[in-house]
Amino acid sequence: DRSPSRGLGDVYKRQLLKLGISLVNMDQKEQGCVTFIQLKDTYPNANTAVLDRGKLEIEKNGCEIS
């Protein structure tokens, strides 16, 4: 099984972060913010570097967390 929850989880989480950054860079800030928040909420135990960068992107882009 190669689902995100097994084996490829760290890769998936990094790619989710990169997706959010790409969306912001393509002037789709709202969708980028949703992606960063989804990463934080769905994977609170992800790699610290990925979570820290996600938090930085949330702050840098003024994403609103409800």
Side-chain angles (χ1 to χ4, degrees):
D1 182 13
R2 294 181 63 93
S3 68
S5 63
R6 293 188 177 200
L8 294 179
D10 287 338
V11 172
Y12 176 76
K13 294 162 195 162
R14 281 194 305 271
Q15 294 304 320
L16 195 58
L17 174 64
K18 290 179 182 181
L19 173 62
I21 293 168
S22 294
L23 287 166
V24 169
N25 289 335
M26 294 186 313
D27 293 325
Q28 295 185 28
K29 181 178 161 185
E30 184 176 336
Q31 288 301 315
C33 285
V34 168
T35 304
F36 300 136
I37 293 167
Q38 178 185 10
L39 173 66
K40 179 184 75 67
D41 291 347
T42 306
Y43 303 106
N45 297 321
N47 179 293
T48 304
V50 171
L51 288 177
D52 288 348
R53 178 66 188 270
K55 289 177 189 173
L56 176 69
E57 292 296 331
I58 287 170
E59 292 171 9
K60 181 171 95 173
N61 292 293
C63 302
E64 294 187 26
I65 302 172
S66 55

